[in-house]
Amino acid sequence: MRLKFTVNGQPHEADGVWEGESLLYVLRERLGLPGSKNACEQGECGSCTVYMDGVPACSCLIAAGQAEGREVRTVEGLADGEKLDEVQEAFVEAGAVQCGFCTPGLLVQTHDLLNRKPDPSDAEIRESLAGNLCRCTGYEKIMDAVRLAAKKKTTSGKAHS
């Protein structure tokens, strides 16, 4: 099947897509967007989180055909060209990136949280990130990064980008 959808603001087509292929596979293997990671393939770890029509979703659980005519935004789409989003900057500055496998999903989920709640409490951060697993950081640096990103977004006036 031919899949037509928008990814990171650009129209894309993928030919020869098998109906059972995941959106994650199409993004990584057919479109060359390796940011979203393939970890559990069961929607349990959050590494493959992308926006689908503005809502965070595990791309490993979405059949590629479900993306037809839809808008997808990946972790690559958070940046503005070479300029990283405040969330991406904060994760680097806070040292919240270690192996990097969980990072793309955490970035998308944090981006969504801060768009909904510009100054979240620690409990709200934990609840929002509960579906994202990390085996390297111990989560404290991730919490620091989310707090820093909230401060950066508030300071820059981009709390709803």
Side-chain angles (χ1 to χ4, degrees):
M1 105 175 120
R2 174 177 281 169
L3 177 63
K4 293 181 183 182
F5 62 132
T6 301
V7 181
N8 299 329
Q10 301 296 317
H12 282 275
E13 287 186 21
D15 286 321
V17 175
W18 172 63
E19 293 137 1
E21 265 178 43
S22 69
L23 174 59
L24 176 61
Y25 183 86
V26 170
L27 292 170
R28 289 180 58 79
E29 305 302 328
R30 295 186 182 274
L31 299 185
L33 295 169
S36 303
K37 302 300 184 221
N38 184 359
C40 74
E41 294 187 83
Q42 297 176 25
E44 295 291 329
C45 72
S47 294
C48 67
T49 303
V50 298
Y51 282 110
M52 177 115 117
D53 293 336
V55 178
C58 291
S59 60
C60 73
L61 296 179
I62 299 170
Q66 290 177 286
E68 177 67 31
R70 313 275 294 270
E71 176 138 349
V72 174
R73 187 174 183 194
T74 68
V75 67
E76 292 96 341
L78 297 182
D80 182 10
E82 296 295 315
K83 171 82 172 97
L84 296 179
D85 182 81
E86 287 90 348
V87 172
Q88 294 167 314
E89 289 175 352
F91 268 68
V92 172
E93 289 174 28
V97 178
Q98 287 191 13
C99 85
F101 222 73
C102 66
T103 306
L106 285 164
L107 290 169
V108 172
Q109 196 64 43
T110 298
H111 187 268
D112 179 65
L113 167 66
L114 297 181
N115 282 341
R116 291 182 289 107
K117 188 106 178 148
D119 188 24
S121 67
D122 283 0
E124 290 167 325
I125 295 169
R126 284 186 188 95
E127 181 179 340
S128 179
L129 300 182
N132 295 80
L133 302 179
C134 175
R135 295 182 181 201
C136 298
T137 65
Y139 296 97
E140 197 52 44
K141 289 190 182 281
I142 293 168
M143 293 291 293
D144 293 343
V146 177
R147 291 184 206 111
L148 179 59
K151 189 180 296 183
K152 284 176 165 285
K153 280 190 168 285
T154 300
T155 303
S156 74
K158 290 172 68 177
H160 296 289
S161 66

